Structures are given as structure tokens and as C-alpha cells.
């Protein structure tokens, strides 16, 4: 199947999924987890086949800026669909589906230098897999933190908005946020450890700044978890710390890739 057909199919399915979630959010249709899951799985399948044609090349994988974004957005959708089977995270689809569609469009229309990693580089591929999983989990945590932030503010001002009426109770939202942060911290620690084991020279490979920002973000998330269990941090405070850690992590990954690939045009 052609790349363009797969891209259009994925965009169509993500658009349908977004529209249904928006209608549910506004109370126009009833939520149906079977239909939500079916549309998501179909979109995920088409998206995955597209990755097979754009990211995977003979003998290696292209982890350049836009290709990595397509892979990360696929994993975000995959994780969210899995969570949605047992957790009340349906509201996150309104942010995740458009994000996935945007990465597909950018991967098709924007171009930059390739950063190929050989299929035989098992250590590096394991580091990348853990890193991508950590970024995906923290991306979900960032969206969750934004929703929690506005939910807190509106509840404090007794504003019974659509957002407040559609989101789960505040305590549930907070629990979900910290579950995502915990999972992301574990993946990020493993990613940093595998990076230290399998990357020979961080400075020679222009990865020192990426490592620095990743460690700084890890420290922020660890501080958040410590504050949660020692000082009872929650609500707006938890949201702000989560978003700060996610911002540092995005600087580590997208900031370094943007500068190296799109400004200095350095491939790999």
C-alpha cells in the first residue's frame, strides 16, 4: 500500500476519532468504548504501516526529527488505547489524535537529514526504544497535567464548565497523573542507563546537551514524587512540576534534534 494512501487513511481515522470524542465531550453522543477502541486500532494499524515505509529502511531505521515524531505519536496512541480499557482517560484522545495527525503531515511535507541506526546496533536500538517509551509516557502525563491544572482552577472558582463535567473526579485525575509519572521515571532511568552503556562518546556524538537535559528532567520528576509522598503535593503544584519536567525532556529530545538536523543540517 502506498505511503500517501496510508497517510490519508490514518488522518481520516484520527479525524473521525477526534470528532466522536468532541461530540461526546459536548454531550451530543454517548461514549462507546468498543467503537472508540475499533477506530483507534484501525488508525494505529494504518499509522504503523506508514512507519514501516517511512522509518524503516534497508538495514536500518531513520530516527531523524520528523520520523521520530511519527514513531512517538504512534506509541502515544498505543499506550492511550491500552490505558483506556481500564482507566478513565478518554478525554486525552482530544489532544492525542490531532497530535498524531500533525506528526504524519509533517513527516510527509517536511524534510531533513537522515539519522540512520543499523539493525545490528542492538544496544543503541534498546536505548532508543526505552527513550521513545519514556517520551511517550511523559507526553501523556503533560496532557493530563494540563487538564488537571484547568480542572483545579475551575473547581476553585465554582465554574461548572464542560471540562469539569466531563473529566473524572479530581482525586482520580491526580492518581492517573502520578501513575504516568512513575512509569515514565522508570523508563527514563532505564534509557539513561542504556545510553551510558552503549553510547561510547557523548561529546563526539553531540549528545551531551541531550543527556544533561534528560538528567535534569529526571531530577524534577523525582523531586515531584518525593514531594508527593512527603509534603502531599497535588493539584496545581503537581501539574506545574510535571510540565516543567516534560519541558526539559522535550528540550533534551526535540531541542537537540531541531538544532542539529534542521538548523545545522547534520545527519547521522
Amino acid at each position: 500500500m502506498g505511503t500517501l494512501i496510508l497517510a490519508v487513511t490514518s488522518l481520516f481515522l484520527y479525524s473521525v476519532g477526534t470528532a466522536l470524542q468532541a461530540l461526546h465531550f459536548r454531550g451530543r453522543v454517548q461514549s462507546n468504548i468498543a467503537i472508540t477502541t475499533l477506530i483507534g486500532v484501525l488508525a494505529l494499524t494504518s499509522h504503523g504501516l506508514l512507519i514501516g515505509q517511512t522509518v524503516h529502511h534497508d538495514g536500518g531505521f531513520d530516527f531523524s526529527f520528523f520520523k521520530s515524531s511519527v514513531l512517538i505519536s504512534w506509541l502515544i496512541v498505543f499506550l492511550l488505547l491500552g490505558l483506556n480499557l481500564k482507566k478513565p482517560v478518554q478525554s486525552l484522545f482530544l489532544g492525542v489524535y490531532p497530535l498524531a495527525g500533525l506528526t504524519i503531515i509533517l513527516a510527509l511535507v517536511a524534510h531533513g537529514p537522515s539519522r540512520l541506526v543499523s539493525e545490528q546496533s542492538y544496544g543503541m536500538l534498546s536505548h532508543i526504544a526505552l527513550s521513545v517509551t519514556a517520551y511517550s509516557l511523559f507526553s501523556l502525563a503533560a496532557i493530563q497535567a494540563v487538564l488537571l491544572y484547568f480542572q483545579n482552577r475551575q473547581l476553585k472558582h465554582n465554574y461548572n464548565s464542560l471540562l469539569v463535567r466531563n473529566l473524572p473526579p479530581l482525586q482520580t485525575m491526580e492518581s492517573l497523573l502520578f501513575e504516568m509519572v512513575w512509569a515514565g521515571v522508570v523508563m527514563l532511568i532505564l534509557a539513561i542507563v542504556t545510553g551510558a552503556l552503549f553510547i561510547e562518546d557523548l561529546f563526539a556524538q553531540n549528545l551531551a546537551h541531550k543527556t544533561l537535559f534528560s538528567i535534569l528532567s529526571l531530577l524534577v520528576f523525582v523531586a515531584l514524587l518525593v514531594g508527593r509522598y512527603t509534603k502531599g503535593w497535588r493539584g496545581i503544584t503537581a501539574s506545574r512540576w510535571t510540565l516543567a519536567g516534560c519541558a526539559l525532556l522535550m528540550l533534551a529530545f526535540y531541542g537537540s534534534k531541531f538544532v542539529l538536523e534542521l538548523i545545522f543540517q547534520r545527519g547521522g
Side-chain angles (χ1 to χ4, degrees):
M1 191 177 293
T3 299
L4 183 59
I5 294 176
L6 289 171
V8 171
T9 302
S10 300
L11 290 172
F12 172 74
L13 290 167
Y14 282 136
S15 297
V16 171
T18 302
L20 285 176
Q21 291 302 320
L23 289 172
H24 167 63
F25 197 77
R26 296 182 64 84
R28 303 290 178 84
V29 298
Q30 291 295 319
S31 175
N32 188 313
I33 192 169
I35 293 177
T36 299
T37 303
L38 176 62
I39 293 173
V41 169
L42 290 174
L44 199 66
T45 301
S46 178
H47 191 164
L49 292 172
L50 179 65
I51 289 172
Q53 294 193 5
T54 57
V55 176
H56 183 257
H57 299 278
D58 292 337
F61 300 89
D62 183 1
F63 291 110
S64 55
F65 186 90
F66 297 110
K67 304 296 176 60
S68 295
S69 299
V70 173
L71 178 59
I72 290 174
S73 67
W74 181 90
L75 187 54
I76 290 172
V77 174
F78 175 79
L79 292 171
L80 185 55
L81 283 171
L83 284 172
N84 190 53
L85 296 176
K86 293 187 176 182
K87 304 286 185 179
V89 293
Q90 200 165 3
S91 55
L92 297 185
F93 284 111
L94 279 172
V96 167
Y97 279 169
L99 175 65
L102 179 62
T103 63
I104 290 173
I105 293 172
L106 289 175
L108 291 179
V109 303
H111 301 284
S114 299
R115 294 187 68 86
L116 294 175
V117 177
S118 170
E119 291 179 347
Q120 306 304 317
S121 301
Y122 302 114
M124 179 61 74
L125 288 174
S126 65
H127 165 68
I128 292 172
L130 290 166
S131 298
V132 167
T133 304
Y135 297 143
S136 301
L137 285 166
F138 282 124
S139 296
L140 285 174
I143 300 173
Q144 180 76 0
V146 170
L147 292 176
L148 179 60
Y149 178 85
F150 285 108
Q151 184 184 26
N152 263 278
R153 288 184 63 85
Q154 292 183 5
L155 285 173
K156 285 183 178 180
H157 292 86
N158 296 315
Y159 183 49
N160 188 27
S161 65
L162 274 174
L163 181 69
V164 171
R165 292 197 297 271
N166 278 279
L167 292 179
L170 199 61
Q171 186 175 0
T172 302
M173 290 287 288
E174 290 174 349
S175 297
L176 286 171
L177 175 62
F178 280 100
E179 286 177 16
M180 293 175 187
V181 171
W182 263 113
V185 165
V186 171
M187 290 295 105
L188 185 55
I189 290 173
L190 292 174
I192 292 173
V193 170
T194 53
L197 291 174
F198 298 113
I199 298 176
E200 295 180 0
D201 191 336
L202 293 176
F203 294 94
Q205 298 186 44
N206 300 302
L207 294 174
H209 47 289
K210 177 182 176 182
T211 304
L212 174 62
F213 279 111
S214 295
I215 292 174
L216 288 175
S217 68
L218 177 61
L219 293 176
V220 169
F221 289 124
V222 170
L224 168 61
L225 294 175
V226 172
R228 163 75 165 178
Y229 292 103
T230 60
K231 298 183 179 180
W233 287 355
R234 52 185 298 181
I236 291 178
T237 300
S239 297
R240 287 173 174 168
W241 276 81
T242 301
L243 291 173
C246 290
L248 287 170
L249 198 60
M250 292 304 105
L251 279 175
F253 185 74
Y254 285 109
S256 60
K257 278 187 169 293
F258 181 85
V259 172
L260 290 174
E261 297 177 26
L262 303 184
I263 295 181
F264 293 111
Q265 293 292 305
R266 293 185 186 179

